[in-house]
Amino acid sequence: MGPNLVAGFWARVSWSPRRAAPETPRFATQGHTSAVSAASAGRHLQGVAVSFGAPDTLVSDGGIHLLLAGEIYNRDEVAKALGNASAAHGSDATLVLAAWHHWGITAFRILNGRFAALLLDGGGRVVVATDHAGSVPLWLRADAHGVDVSTEAKTLAGLPGTPLDVAGAQLLPGGTGVHRVQAGTALILETVQGEVRTANRVYTWTPPVSRAAVGEEIAVGRVRRLLAQAVQTRLRDDPEPTVVLSGGIDSSGVAAHAVAHSGLVHSVSMGTEASDEFGPAKVVAGHLGTDHSEMTIHSSDLVRELPWAVWAAEIADHTILEYLLPLIALYRRLPPGPRRVLTGYGADIPLGGMHRHTEPLDLLDSVIAHDMATFDGLNEMSPVISGVAGIWSTHPYWDRDLLDCLISLDPGLKRRYGRDKWVLREALARMLPAETLSRPKLGIHEGSGTSSAWTALLLEKGVPPGRVEQCKAAMARRMHDLIVLRTRHPDEISFDEVLAATEKGRTRHALEQ
Ligand code: ATP
Ligand code: MG
């Protein structure tokens, strides 16, 4: 029961001389850790995988070694294309290795999954790749003797040795030399004595900018079929998956399809003393027959989990942190044990749900195109968000095939007859109660009262209303600096101290002006 996969890894590929293995990296992801090592063409790979269950960690074949975090959702398709149907029954890592043997670097254009990969090829080259959405963030840092690659930036930030530039990856500000592998990218690094060279950068996915003008019926049918498939492949035969359920159309749609393919579905809703969506979630749970529970978290406790959100998402964007906070707090309070969680996260991005008041349609389409061009690096869908609680989470709306379909629909199918996310609502028409289908969108941070909680706390501490946003942004940057770049544990970081330091820094800055 539960997920059986590598949730994250750190590994160093070195040539000469070999650096002594550092202490076990301090992952935020809470799983079982195991050491991995391999050698190929004079390169040595040593690292640590953090897993849920007991999966294959490093897989090797013909002098090629692969470390895969996450999972693949088009296993049958890939196995068929390989002409080896039985490949669908082995581990995902074995399947990816077979795909590499068959297609080389373009294998990453074929895989539909939620993964990050590190591969040491027979010629001693290092290949790093993310899925189409970069949904498992992947980081690297190079020095004169090797390359460190990790699914958590914090494990690379304090490493010894002078960092080198890596062309084709994005340097994280802060002087640590840590780079991020961009979404939908595979990089081939050659490690020549004292030098790291990007031999090739391959884009494996980009958001489509073309739009399909299809009729209502075809569009609705397509969305229904692809959502069903995205949910089904993410269940991975787990007998008891969990859906984090707000009672909004996105998560209710995921729950409906999960129930259609699984014996027992747990659903859980969180709220604060200030605000919740318990009523609408209960209606959905009752209709679908899920094993439903509610969790109330005091809003001041919620805001104090911010350092954990930074530790998990490794970002400094306060708006995104605000979205993630309710989920992190919820995951950390679920009963411990193996758990596979499905969310409705991300549906609004290709469907323009946040822009429901944007008129006219061409403008709606432009903002959708803009949002799809700028999602990379926000880390909203990082598995570490739930990994801090030892939980694996996955997001069906960002399945590659469903996402391609949703983005490229004519915007007139996204907003139609005065309804936002019309095509999705129609696709779920026979699966959910009428009141759920017509329920207006409520953002995760709004429904749970998170934004107002952070704001209220700042106002209470004397921050003037006109400066609240600025203060949130500065606090988030400071926490990122302390927790990710200076590798402090979130429990050592207090909200009040960060606020005091932020305010002090601002006053000093103002006096110096
Ligand atoms: P809608 O966009 O129509 O409100 P939604 O609530 O399902 O639908 P979001 O508001 O975008 O979607 O929230 C993102 C996801 O986060 C949800 O799909 C759900 O999985 C999870 N979520 C949001 N709020 C809660 C909550 N209060 N309790 C549990 N999970 C939640
Ligand atoms: Mg909502």
Side-chain angles (χ1 to χ4, degrees), residues 127-147:
V127 182
V128 288
T130 61
D131 65 50
H132 64 289
S135 80
V136 178
L138 187 61
W139 314 84
L140 54 89
R141 181 184 183 277
D143 59 44
H145 307 291
V147 187

Side-chain angles (χ1 to χ4, degrees), residues 110-377:
I110 288 179
L111 300 170
N112 173 3
R114 170 162 173 71
F115 67 85
L118 164 64
L119 185 140
L120 179 59
D121 82 356
R125 299 187 308 168
V126 177
V127 182
V128 288
T130 61
D131 65 50
H132 64 289
S135 80
V136 178
L138 187 61
W139 314 84
L140 54 89
R141 181 184 183 277
D143 59 44
H145 307 291
V147 187
D148 291 86
V149 182
S150 178
T151 52
E152 295 189 26
K154 64 185 81 63
T155 64
L156 305 181
L159 292 178
T162 310
L164 303 177
D165 271 352
V166 181
Q170 198 168 60
L171 183 64
L172 195 67
T176 57
V178 178
H179 293 67
R180 191 174 57 80
V181 181
Q182 285 160 283
T185 299
L187 291 179
I188 304 182
L189 306 176
E190 281 178 348
T191 56
V192 185
Q193 196 100 34
E195 194 188 323
V196 175
R197 208 169 61 83
T198 303
N200 199 358
R201 173 165 68 170
V202 176
Y203 293 111
T204 56
W205 186 80
T206 51
V209 289
S210 62
R211 302 294 182 247
V214 287
E216 289 185 352
E217 213 176 300
I218 290 179
V220 168
R222 234 179 243 174
V223 171
R224 187 185 298 124
R225 180 177 60 80
L226 289 171
L227 178 59
Q229 189 177 298
V231 172
Q232 196 182 355
T233 52
R234 276 161 183 74
L235 293 171
R236 296 295 290 253
D237 298 327
D238 191 314
E240 293 190 30
T242 299
V243 177
V244 280
L245 181 68
S246 64
I249 189 71
D250 309 341
S251 50
S252 301
V254 169
H257 281 287
V259 165
H261 295 288
S262 190
L264 171 61
V265 175
H266 302 281
S267 56
V268 54
S269 299
M270 71 77 66
T272 64
E273 79 297 346
S275 178
D276 66 59
E277 298 181 66
F278 290 161
K282 206 168 173 175
V283 167
V284 175
H287 182 87
L288 298 174
T290 59
D291 167 46
H292 188 63
S293 54
E294 294 169 355
M295 187 185 291
T296 302
I297 303 175
H298 200 277
S299 50
S300 58
D301 292 339
L302 196 63
V303 171
R304 289 196 159 80
E305 298 250 348
L306 262 171
W308 283 79
V310 174
W311 201 44
E314 307 197 297
I315 52 169
D317 182 319
H318 71 286
T319 319
I320 304 295
L321 288 169
E322 223 163 50
Y323 297 159
L324 298 178
L325 209 46
L327 283 176
I328 291 245
L330 184 159
Y331 292 140
R332 297 218 309 132
R333 285 162 178 79
L334 283 174
R339 194 183 288 270
R340 168 177 290 272
V341 165
L342 274 68
T343 84
Y345 208 95
D348 289 307
I349 308 173
L351 288 171
M354 284 96 61
H355 306 291
R356 52 202 178 278
H357 304 300
T358 303
E359 302 271 357
L361 284 178
D362 61 347
L363 197 55
L364 175 66
D365 199 48
S366 297
V367 291
I368 292 171
H370 175 266
D371 289 349
M372 285 310 311
T374 52
F375 74 83
D376 189 21

Side-chain angles (χ1 to χ4, degrees), residues 451-507:
S451 312
S452 50
W454 192 355
T455 303
L457 202 57
L458 293 182
L459 294 175
E460 196 186 299
K461 304 269 177 189
V463 176
R467 236 176 10 82
V468 164
E469 283 305 301
Q470 204 187 335
C471 181
K472 286 181 180 177
M475 285 184 73
R477 281 196 302 273
R478 184 172 293 269
M479 285 192 202
H480 180 265
D481 185 60
L482 292 170
I483 294 166
V484 180
L485 305 182
R486 293 198 238 163
T487 67
R488 299 268 301 277
H489 190 274
D491 275 342
E492 297 165 14
I493 307 297
S494 111
F495 179 93
D496 298 316
E497 278 169 28
V498 170
L499 173 60
T502 305
E503 287 299 90
K504 206 167 136 194
R506 196 191 65 81
T507 315

